[in-house]
């Protein structure tokens, strides 16, 4: 779904090959996706308040250096499991307009990178780098 905002990508309907999903994203986000080049996407109207539902479950994982990564479960616990995170900066909740479309069919496990979103602040800023992000992801996948 991140391809939606990547200016180097072809139209979203071509990226994922699923016009129905592209149409659902367009309706949920108010973005003109169908056949629109990704670098021309604009909101049609004013932004509205983003309300993320309460998770079905929350679990804190402690990383090897003491950082806490908070996992949040949403969606359909009987569906196939998807683990979603954001890139460096921002937070996974900001992508709710996209991942909400998966909630009926998938068991979603969401987490934020260390020192982002729902995670408590970890004071050792030297661990805020790709090596630790990869290690954190490995811990989430095996946690």
């Amino acid at each position: 779904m991140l391809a939606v905002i990547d200016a180097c990508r072809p139209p979203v309907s071509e990226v994922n090959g699923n016009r129905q999903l592209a149409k659902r994203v367009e309706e949920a986000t108010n973005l003109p996706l169908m056949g629109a080049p990704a670098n021309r996407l604009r909101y049609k109207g004013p932004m509205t308040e983003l309300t993320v539902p309460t998770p079905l479950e929350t679990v804190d994982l402690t990383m090897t250096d003491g950082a806490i990564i908070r996992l949040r479960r949403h969606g359909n616990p009987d569906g196939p499991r998807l683990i979603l995170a954001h890139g460096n900066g921002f937070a996974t909740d900001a992508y709710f307009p996209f991942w909400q479309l998966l909630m009926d069919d998938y068991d979603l496990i969401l987490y934020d990178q260390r020192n982002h979103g729902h995670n408590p602040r970890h004071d050792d800023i030297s661990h805020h780098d790709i090596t630790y992000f990869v290690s954190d992801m490995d811990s989430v996948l095996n946690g």
Side-chain angles (χ1 to χ4, degrees):
M1 298 311 263
L2 296 181
V4 171
I5 58 172
D6 186 337
C8 299
R9 302 279 185 194
V12 172
S13 55
E14 294 175 18
V15 171
N16 61 26
N18 185 334
R19 291 185 64 81
Q20 274 188 316
L21 180 59
K23 184 67 175 167
R24 286 174 62 196
V25 170
E26 178 183 68
E27 291 168 358
T29 62
N30 219 15
L31 290 173
L33 301 183
M34 299 305 289
N39 64 343
R40 295 192 181 180
L41 296 180
R42 300 287 183 266
Y43 283 100
K44 294 178 184 175
M47 295 288 289
T48 59
E49 184 176 328
L50 180 69
T51 305
V52 177
T54 302
L56 301 172
E57 184 177 0
T58 302
V59 175
D60 285 353
L61 292 181
T62 303
M63 303 297 106
T64 56
D65 65 347
I68 302 293
I69 300 295
R70 184 158 293 141
L71 306 179
R72 299 172 321 279
R73 185 179 200 180
H74 290 273
N76 178 359
D78 296 323
R81 179 165 290 166
L82 291 177
I83 298 175
L84 304 174
H86 62 91
N88 190 17
F90 229 37
T92 304
D93 284 355
Y95 294 100
F96 176 65
F98 301 104
W99 59 260
Q100 74 175 339
L101 302 173
L102 305 171
M103 290 178 65
D104 290 341
D105 300 319
Y106 295 94
D107 182 20
L108 302 176
I109 306 298
L110 309 175
Y111 77 97
D112 296 310
Q113 304 295 346
R114 55 177 57 223
N115 291 322
H116 291 87
H118 290 264
N119 295 324
R121 180 173 164 78
H122 184 61
D123 289 330
D124 191 345
I125 197 69
S126 70
H127 293 182
H128 190 83
D129 67 17
I130 192 72
T131 302
Y132 282 92
F133 292 164
V134 171
S135 175
D136 294 347
M137 183 184 298
D138 188 51
S139 294
V140 167
L141 293 174
N142 294 311

